[in-house]
Amino acid sequence: IALNPEYVSAHNNLALACERIPDRRDRAIRAWRRVLELGRAVRDSAYVERAERHLAALGAAGPPEGPIR
């Protein structure tokens, strides 16, 4: 992510990893919102749908409450 902040797959993997750690829920939500943003930018419906699904499961569907990054 540091080398290529636009690499959607890296944000996707980060979000998945953070979901597995109980005290990283907020970080997972931020990562999924970034996946959603990047997925829309590159018009990749698989990433968009996955991010929306995970955000809904985390109870974070809707607009972000702060900076995505």
Side-chain angles (χ1 to χ4, degrees):
I1 293 175
L3 294 176
N4 184 356
E6 306 301 312
Y7 187 45
V8 66
S9 184
H11 290 279
N12 181 85
N13 294 339
L14 175 63
L16 289 169
C18 288
E19 276 187 340
R20 294 176 181 259
I21 304 169
D23 64 338
R24 298 288 182 181
R25 180 181 176 275
D26 290 342
R27 183 63 184 103
I29 290 170
R30 287 195 314 269
W32 281 122
R33 287 186 172 146
R34 183 70 173 141
V35 171
L36 183 60
E37 176 186 23
L38 293 171
R40 287 178 174 159
V42 298
R43 298 177 187 210
D44 189 321
S45 63
Y47 281 117
V48 171
E49 290 169 9
R50 184 178 306 125
E52 288 173 341
R53 188 172 61 248
H54 282 265
L55 285 166
L58 289 166
E65 297 173 6
I68 293 175
R69 296 172 200 207

